[in-house]
Amino acid sequence: MLTSTVCAAVSAAGLGIAALTAYRKRFLAATRIAAFALIPIGLAMTGVVDWVTSIVFKPTVWAGFGVLAVSAALFALTRLVERRRGVAGRKERRAAAGSEAAAVAPAASAPSLGPGRKAPSRAAASSAGSAPKDDFSDIEAILKKHGI
């Protein structure tokens, strides 16, 4: 009952403003103001306002919205963690688990190192051997091609 009275008062005030605007010969603006002013009384007459106020003032409804918010937050959190980890779907995990048995890649020329061995460092290999011969040969070929 109180909500209907408040909606009627808001609509009446809006229609008064629309009438003043029309008096100033701004008819397009007055029509828009009147359209907006009729919305509250229309909602009150259809019962939407009473339905909304019954939802707003019930604690169980707010608890339900809270549970939905927690559910949405948990879903978003799991998706975020899944993307950061790069976790694949079930089929990709099964395929990866089946292929872990092979220690050598199909096109590899040498087997991969086991857990106890370390790769030789490049610094030791380059200092022990000779200096690289054709470091700039590809650059020289490009320059010759362009006549430089």
Side-chain angles (χ1 to χ4, degrees):
M1 177 94 169
L2 179 65
T3 56
S4 298
T5 306
V6 170
C7 288
V10 169
S11 291
L15 289 174
I17 293 170
L20 288 173
T21 307
Y23 179 74
R24 294 180 183 163
K25 300 195 190 281
R26 296 178 57 206
F27 297 110
L28 185 62
T31 306
R32 285 188 186 137
I33 293 170
F36 281 116
L38 292 174
I39 290 174
I41 195 69
L43 290 175
M45 292 172 80
T46 58
V48 173
V49 173
D50 292 329
W51 177 72
V52 168
T53 56
S54 68
I55 287 176
V56 169
F57 295 117
K58 285 186 181 177
T60 55
V61 173
W62 284 105
F65 282 127
V67 168
L68 288 174
V70 167
S71 172
L74 288 174
F75 181 72
L77 181 68
T78 57
R79 295 290 293 178
L80 180 69
V81 169
E82 192 174 60
R83 285 187 183 149
R84 281 196 166 197
R85 283 190 186 171
V87 176
R90 180 180 290 175
K91 291 179 183 177
E92 289 85 6
R93 286 190 298 241
R94 284 186 182 170
S99 67
E100 285 180 4
V104 179
S109 61
S112 60
L113 299 175
R117 295 174 49 195
K118 292 185 180 179
S121 65
R122 291 185 175 222
S126 65
S127 64
S130 63
K133 298 177 185 174
D134 294 329
D135 269 350
F136 300 106
S137 62
D138 53 346
I139 297 173
E140 289 175 6
I142 293 171
L143 292 173
K144 285 179 184 177
K145 179 181 176 183
H146 291 286
I148 299 176

